[in-house]
Amino acid sequence: MTPVATQNNDTGRPRRIVVAITGASGAPYAIKLLQVLRLSDVEVHLTVSPSGAAVIGQELGLSFNLRQPDLDALVTCVPQWSELPAFELDRSLGQKGDERFFYHQFDDYMTPIASGSFVTEAMVICPCSGSTLSGVARAAASNLIQRAAEVHLKEHRKLVLVPRETPMSVLQIENMHRLASAGAVLLPAMPGWYHDVQRLDDLVDFVVARILDQIGVDNTLISRWKETS
């Protein structure tokens, strides 16, 4: 795991990043994103939908209890096919996290990230399901994830959506166009192959690196195109 550094915040506030996991395929991207953010000095606010928890179980073999989450198990999870060493935490996370890692129930509208008065740097929905995409595009929030995304749009903060579906219908494409027009960044989980791919981990790292670039977190997960040392 490569440590990362974050840019200084002149306001003195912690750099807060909201991360949401929903029910599209691509849970390994979300876990790697959380692991990298955990090594930075960013304050992370995590929320997971029921479908997102189901996908975590399907793709990673990890049972995630939305009401009594094992955050240690989530953040340290390494896929069976990964060639990377186990991720080590520097401290134990409780069910609600710690002073730099917070967990919010997907249906709790009283939590800070539901309000624009709670200042954040950015939000990432990774992976982003088609229903989440639709709910945010129509400003018809049915859970905290969609509400927090609407907050980021109305406050003109960075919102990064990571859909992982193919092929896409015209309606999904229209939803993406609508969100892009509103200021969101659409970053489909489409890994490149030009960074000396040797293993599946490299493909995951490519997508996560592009997400981190969008939210202003320095990283060295991949060899960049024609970059000289």
Side-chain angles (χ1 to χ4, degrees):
M1 180 71 64
T2 304
V4 297
T6 59
Q7 300 170 358
N8 292 328
N9 189 328
D10 294 335
T11 66
R13 285 191 303 265
R15 295 196 62 214
R16 295 172 177 146
I17 304 295
V18 179
V19 177
I21 301 175
T22 66
S25 179
Y29 296 118
I31 301 307
K32 185 58 177 286
L33 175 63
L34 289 176
Q35 290 173 348
V36 176
L37 291 176
R38 187 68 183 149
L39 290 177
S40 74
D41 60 1
V42 166
E43 183 177 294
V44 177
H45 291 261
L46 171 68
T47 181
V48 182
S49 74
S51 296
V55 172
I56 289 171
Q58 173 71 26
E59 298 185 347
L60 299 173
L62 178 66
S63 178
F64 187 76
N65 187 323
L66 292 168
R67 299 305 181 191
Q68 295 181 314
D70 186 342
L71 297 178
D72 281 340
L74 181 69
V75 176
T76 60
C77 182
V78 176
Q80 291 185 347
W81 45 257
S82 175
E83 298 178 31
L84 298 178
F87 179 79
E88 299 292 338
L89 278 178
D90 57 357
R91 71 189 74 184
S92 178
L93 293 170
Q95 287 185 3
K96 294 184 179 180
D98 60 21
E99 71 275 6
R100 289 197 302 107
F101 195 103
F102 299 85
Y103 176 74
H104 306 279
Q105 299 287 348
F106 73 97
D107 55 358
D108 182 5
Y109 286 88
M110 300 304 292
T111 198
I113 62 173
S115 173
S117 64
F118 185 72
V119 180
T120 59
E121 296 283 330
M123 178 176 182
V124 180
I125 304 180
C126 175
C128 180
S129 67
S131 59
T132 299
L133 196 74
S134 175
V136 178
R138 294 182 293 109
S142 61
N143 58 38
L144 175 64
I145 294 171
Q146 295 174 21
R147 167 58 187 170
E150 291 178 17
V151 165
H152 281 73
L153 288 178
K154 78 182 184 69
E155 299 292 335
H156 300 282
R157 299 173 190 163
K158 181 64 71 74
L159 173 63
V160 181
L161 307 175
V162 186
R164 208 304 317 155
E165 189 162 359
T166 189
M168 289 186 172
S169 70
V170 171
L171 295 176
Q172 291 171 318
I173 293 170
E174 288 176 349
N175 282 334
M176 288 193 289
H177 178 265
R178 189 172 187 179
L179 286 165
S181 298
V185 174
L186 276 298
L187 198 158
M190 298 176 179
W193 293 78
Y194 59 77
H195 56 294
D196 190 28
V197 174
Q198 302 292 324
R199 54 194 180 182
L200 289 176
D201 297 289
D202 297 328
L203 300 178
V204 173
D205 286 352
F206 180 92
V207 173
V208 174
R210 300 310 300 269
I211 295 170
L212 293 166
D213 289 347
Q214 286 295 321
I215 61 177
V217 176
D218 294 337
N219 69 92
T220 56
L221 289 178
I222 61 171
S223 299
R224 298 179 183 275
W225 178 247
K226 295 188 177 181
E227 185 174 71
T228 58
S229 57

